[in-house]
Amino acid sequence: MMMNLFSIFDPMCSIMNLSLNWISSLMIFMFLPSSFWLISSRMKLIWMKILINIHNELKPLLKNFINKGNTMIFSSLFMFIIFNNFLGLFPYIFTSTSHLSLTATLALPLWLSFMLYGWINKTNHMFTHLVPQNTPSILMPFMVLIESISNMIRALTLSVRLTANMIAGHLLMTLLSSMGIYMETSYIYLLIITQFLLLILESAVAIIQAYVFMILTTLYSSEVNYVKK
């Protein structure tokens, strides 16, 4: 039972020693709107509307580090995660964001680049950030320890949060659907309605988790790139 339950997260569907399930992470390129038309398609208009809204959302967070295109990495990250989250809701499509190997690959390089940039180029700012303002002198050593641990586990919390939320919803839907063959006909309709509501909830989770991942990485970047005026 447990082996069948967790088999939906097995990436080892392979031919010629290639894990073909991971190809689902590249399916986002199938949905990218074409830019070679004289008149933009509806899909491209929706795509650009989303990107503009994300850009306007991130600008206040990066107001101390404004450069052209500085929100593109975070908006691209958002679109990549949300597409993979939604693709995982379709039957027989592997959910790549339910694996730490992918989420940690997204979170760790970003966190490491922020930390290296901050400690190399803005060492004084990074040291002062370890002690919040108006902290009593007796609590300063503890605050430094707490803030240091908090900074070090940021990549882990980013990746685990996304992975855990995607796994939990998929496991619940799989567990409920596997009970259908043991239920009476009168309860099947209730199960279908419950599954439909769970699907709506998982769609909301897919959007929220991509948004949270993007916002947190943006906040970590804005902390490091803070410019005192």
Side-chain angles (χ1 to χ4, degrees), residues 68-152:
K68 290 184 178 179
N70 64 337
T71 60
M72 289 303 297
I73 182 173
F74 304 108
S75 56
S76 301
L77 188 65
F78 172 80
M79 300 303 291
F80 176 78
I81 294 175
I82 198 172
F83 265 103
N84 280 280
N85 288 350
F86 270 111
L87 285 174
L89 297 177
F90 289 91
Y92 306 109
I93 296 182
F94 176 66
T95 312
S96 57
T97 49
S98 64
H99 279 259
L100 278 174
S101 55
L102 177 68
T103 56
T105 301
L106 297 176
L108 186 60
L110 288 172
W111 169 82
L112 188 60
S113 61
F114 296 155
M115 289 296 102
L116 289 177
Y117 174 80
W119 285 107
I120 293 174
N121 297 290
K122 301 183 180 181
T123 308
N124 292 333
H125 169 68
M126 296 299 290
F127 274 118
T128 55
H129 188 69
L130 295 177
V131 181
Q133 287 184 331
N134 301 324
T135 302
S137 300
I138 192 172
L139 295 179
M140 284 185 179
F142 299 101
M143 292 304 300
V144 171
L145 180 61
I146 293 172
E147 289 293 330
S148 299
I149 296 175
S150 175
N151 288 334
M152 292 178 64

